Amino acid sequence: METKIGEIEGGTVTSARGFHAGATAAGIRKPDDSRLDLGILFSEEPCVVAGVLTTNRVQSAPVVLCRERLEAGHASAIVACSGCANASTGRQGLSDAAEMASLTADGLGIDADEVLVASTGVIGPRLPIERVRDGLRHISLSDVGGHELARAIMTTDTRPKEFAVTVEAGETSFTIGGIAKGSGMIHPNMATLLAFLATDAAVEGGFLSLALKEAANVSFNMVSVDGDTSPSDTLLVLANGIAGNAVIDGGSDIAGAFEEALQRVCVHLARAIARDGEGATKLIEVTVSGAVNLADACLAARTVVASPLLKSAVYGCDPNWGRVVAALGRSGAAVEETSLDIAIGETTVLKSGAPQPFDEAAVVDQLKRDDVSISANLNLGEASATAWGCDLTEEYVVVNSQYTT
Amino acid sequence: METKIGEIEGGTVTSARGFHAGATAAGIRKPDDSRLDLGILFSEEPCVVAGVLTTNRVQSAPVVLCRERLEAGHASAIVACSGCANASTGRQGLSDAAEMASLTADGLGIDADEVLVASTGVIGPRLPIERVRDGLRHISLSDVGGHELARAIMTTDTRPKEFAVTVEAGETSFTIGGIAKGSGMIHPNMATLLAFLATDAAVEGGFLSLALKEAANVSFNMVSVDGDTSPSDTLLVLANGIAGNAVIDGGSDIAGAFEEALQRVCVHLARAIARDGEGATKLIEVTVSGAVNLADACLAARTVVASPLLKSAVYGCDPNWGRVVAALGRSGAAVEETSLDIAIGETTVLKSGAPQPFDEAAVVDQLKRDDVSISANLNLGEASATAWGCDLTEEYVVVNSQYTT
């Protein structure tokens, strides 16, 4: 079947039909803070939902609540705040998260268990539930409100992350939109901090869950900012079926198109998170090919992109390719030194394990770009993977040495 | 048996009897560089040797050579240089490392296979073997030359790392001395970059190897500067038997005293490496107790001490204990949030998973010290472990963004 996936200019999570969002400055951080920090995503029709949650052994109260409610497989809304993670807050935190959901449900006229909750920010402090209560009264929802919600979930992010695509597959046409936030405690093998996706397609729950996991594996799970992972990582997708298509499941003609579109949204948001990593000045894309299997390719790519030494070298535009070799070697992936090729941008610097003479000025120029690509061919097999990260700068340290105080 | 282990003031690797060392400025980095960068450790009697080498899949030429020669179990000398790692240098690198050993052996009048080799510095460039040849002619050995050798192996280290102890056990008295260098590409679960130990005790080879591995596990393998590991990691111990004791093996009365002394030297050097981590302003010591087993305790302690977010917070004297929780949670160790206690210095900030009110100014004062201690009790078992690291500062980024260029 012919399918066409097109990017929606200015697209966001409310680009999918029937989704409304809004946000307010509730003063979660401090009463007088004027940043948007509390928001709602709401579907006018009940949704099939799926999620990928943190694998950290310590889980925030909202994650615990989402894990329970995702089992039901349906929901209509997400309420999210930034400035307080509501993590490491014990029983009080669980009751605060539940209250945040109930207050939202009351305002929307739906059942409390139809509301998912997400919070991001400092770990430890109690959620200021009175400010949440007041704030919720001031949120008005609209079908362009995704932009506000994308801002409301930002912590150290310098810009919102939003994206949407339309899919035309045979007779069917639907939209998938999404928003996400970074930008610290970001590391492969976890869903990233917060990402909410919405589609108007009708999708079967089991298939939606599987498609989301696959999309996370090639997108959010391939991003690293700093090797730290969070107790709040939450990736959610809501599908409200307003597009009126025949319900998509694993056997549908358009299952592949749906998966591809979902991955495209996730990869776009994941790259945006990497590019906006704390203190980052550029995006680093590492592609490893020729691995003996996919797990090795992922491991190798993620290890290179997460190496603080490589990240520092890229920041300084230093063509120190030996750090790529060192990271590949320690990654745990099968690596044979004498088979290894490495390129920075289009310039090969190592071929079959032998250093190649190269034009240093040209490579430095490539390292000066906003997008730096590094590729390694292990020449041992057929598998390949791409990971994204960012450079390590003085600003990362500045941001993170003064976060709570 | 009564044993006494005493620190030798100003002790170094040549504090053990019969060991001589020296170094020169061979211009390994650049011909006109005046830093010491090439040195020799030599024992006047043949030694039993043991080593722990990198587990990186990419191995420097000197590591490959050491691995071969360590199998013989005996050696008389180590030749080491800094400024060039002789790694990722292919067959040329292997022949250069072998030539570096031969030239050293010729000068000392011993067999080439009695010489071990270690190199540290930039990965990729070829070893300037002519400068090594010239340099070796200018090295004169002495029994205080350990101080020079400790300087000659420094790269981004700001100070040499040296330590020695004397052991009196019954009728026997012997010395163990050592030197080490950091200070980047340092991460747990590998031997650290370069460390050479020397003892005048007579020690059986198998026991020496075992004792060294055990000492590495509680010292160098518990240090992290930046999560990156090196193809050059080399820890060597030489025992020349000049003390005249009955050969120590696993069944000896003084086996325990020897192991304890070896660990004390290794822990001292490991802490010195952590404290002098690239850009570091302070030492961080993380102790995890109450783990279900030792592997979990080590994993948890190392994960916390390596967290860039915690390291940044310690640099900024920010009592952001939530980052300790997050790191423990993702460490892979068994952690129950409701059992968890955390203290910064002597101040408990979390008890049974519940945040405790604390005097923030007092904790900030503790974070301002040169030595910052953080402890976590998982309250799940009896095992404990300590790991060492350093804070993450803007200077780390500066150092590593301008390393080769």
Side-chain angles (χ1 to χ4, degrees), chain B residues 238-253:
Chain B
L238 281 74
N240 66 10
I242 285 182
N245 58 292
V247 175
I248 304 170
D249 63 21
S252 305
D253 284 353

Side-chain angles (χ1 to χ4, degrees), chain A residues 23 46 67 99 101 133 155 162 211 220 226 284 305 310 331 383 400:
Chain A
R67 201 178 293 283
E99 189 170 352
R133 185 193 304 272
T155 52
E162 309 171 80
F220 299 114
D226 55 13
I284 306 177
V305 91
L310 177 73
S331 67
N400 281 303

Side-chain angles (χ1 to χ4, degrees), chain A residues 13-23 39-45 76-78 108 139-147 149 198 238 240 242:
Chain A
V13 69
T14 45
S15 296
R17 282 164 288 177
F19 286 95
H20 308 272
I40 293 172
L41 176 68
F42 173 61
S43 169
E44 59 194 48
E45 297 291 334
S76 298
I78 301 170
L108 295 171
I139 296 176
S140 61
L141 304 178
S142 83
D143 57 8
V144 294
H147 301 308
L149 184 58
L238 281 75
N240 67 10
I242 285 181

Side-chain angles (χ1 to χ4, degrees), chain A residues 56-57 88 185 226 228-229 307-309 312 318 320 323 326 329-330 337 392 394 397-398 400-401 403-404, chain B residues 56-57 88 185 226 228-229 307-309 312 318 320 323 326 329-330 337 392 394 397-398 400-401 403-404:
Chain A
N56 196 306
R57 295 291 277 265
S88 237
M185 282 203 188
D226 55 13
D228 262 309
T229 50
S307 158
L309 288 170
S312 299
D318 180 352
N320 194 339
R323 292 177 177 175
R330 75 170 158 92
E337 194 179 338
L392 176 61
E394 295 97 332
V397 178
V398 171
N400 281 303
S401 59
Y403 189 63
T404 63
Chain B
N56 196 305
R57 295 289 277 266
S88 238
M185 280 201 187
D226 55 12
D228 263 308
T229 51
S307 157
L309 288 170
S312 299
D318 180 353
N320 194 340
R323 292 177 176 174
R330 76 169 158 93
E337 193 178 338
L392 176 61
E394 295 96 332
V397 178
V398 171
N400 281 303
S401 58
Y403 189 63
T404 63

Side-chain angles (χ1 to χ4, degrees), chain A residues 49-50 65-74 116:
Chain A
V49 297
L65 183 141
C66 281
R67 201 178 293 283
E68 286 169 13
R69 295 192 178 172
L70 281 171
E71 280 186 20
H74 54 82
L116 301 169

Side-chain angles (χ1 to χ4, degrees), chain B residues 25-342:
Chain B
I28 305 276
R29 290 174 187 80
K30 287 177 194 159
D32 59 349
D33 196 312
S34 63
R35 283 175 282 182
L36 294 177
D37 58 4
L38 179 69
I40 293 171
L41 176 69
F42 172 62
S43 170
E44 59 195 47
E45 297 291 335
C47 297
V48 171
V49 297
V52 176
L53 302 170
T54 186
T55 58
N56 196 305
R57 295 289 277 266
V58 175
Q59 315 233 330
S60 72
V63 165
V64 172
L65 183 142
C66 281
R67 201 177 294 283
E68 285 168 13
R69 295 191 179 172
L70 281 170
E71 280 186 18
H74 54 83
S76 298
I78 300 170
V79 58
C81 71
S82 62
C84 172
N86 192 8
S88 238
T89 44
R91 262 207 280 224
Q92 181 66 57
L94 290 172
S95 113
D96 288 340
E99 189 170 351
M100 188 165 154
S102 302
L103 291 167
T104 303
D106 289 350
L108 296 171
I110 58 176
D111 286 346
D113 57 11
E114 288 292 307
V115 181
L116 300 169
V117 180
S119 297
T120 174
V122 184
I123 298 166
R126 193 188 153 186
L127 188 71
I129 192 72
E130 283 311 314
R131 284 179 239 158
V132 170
R133 184 193 304 272
D134 287 349
L136 286 172
R137 292 200 196 101
H138 295 97
I139 297 177
S140 62
L141 303 177
S142 83
D143 57 8
V144 295
H147 300 308
E148 280 185 2
L149 184 59
R151 292 198 162 273
I153 58 174
M154 287 164 56
T155 51
T156 51
D157 305 66
T158 65
R159 44 189 180 270
K161 286 99 187 161
E162 310 172 80
F163 195 64
V165 296
T166 50
V167 182
E168 285 170 43
E171 305 291 290
T172 301
S173 152
F174 60 89
T175 296
I176 305 177
I179 58 175
K181 59 87 57 186
S183 59
M185 280 201 187
I186 302 293
H187 191 59
N189 226 357
M190 303 271 165
T192 189
L193 208 46
L194 298 185
F196 309 142
L197 310 177
T199 180
D200 45 26
V203 191
E204 186 268 328
F207 172 71
L208 185 62
S209 185
L210 220 64
L212 186 68
K213 281 197 185 72
E214 278 171 17
N217 281 343
V218 298
S219 59
F220 299 114
N221 284 352
M222 293 303 284
V223 166
S224 179
V225 169
D226 55 12
D228 263 308
T229 51
S230 146
S232 304
D233 293 345
T234 302
L235 165 63
L236 298 170
V237 60
L238 281 74
N240 66 10
I242 285 182
N245 58 292
V247 175
I248 304 170
D249 63 21
S252 305
D253 284 353
I254 61 167
F258 182 82
E259 288 173 326
E260 188 185 337
L262 193 65
Q263 290 187 13
R264 190 137 147 207
V265 173
C266 288
V267 166
H268 183 98
L269 294 172
R271 283 174 56 105
I273 286 172
R275 188 188 298 284
D276 194 26
E278 286 174 340
T281 70
K282 52 189 108 178
L283 177 76
I284 306 177
E285 179 171 287
V286 174
T287 300
V288 170
S289 58
V292 292
N293 57 43
L294 186 61
D296 263 22
C298 290
L299 193 57
R302 292 185 297 190
T303 303
V304 173
V305 93
S307 157
L309 288 170
L310 177 73
K311 289 153 64 76
S312 299
V314 169
Y315 170 56
C317 300
D318 180 353
N320 194 340
W321 56 266
R323 292 177 176 174
V324 179
V325 176
L328 289 169
R330 76 169 158 93
S331 67
V335 173
E336 292 292 337
E337 193 178 338
T338 50
S339 304
L340 191 58
D341 302 342
I342 292 176

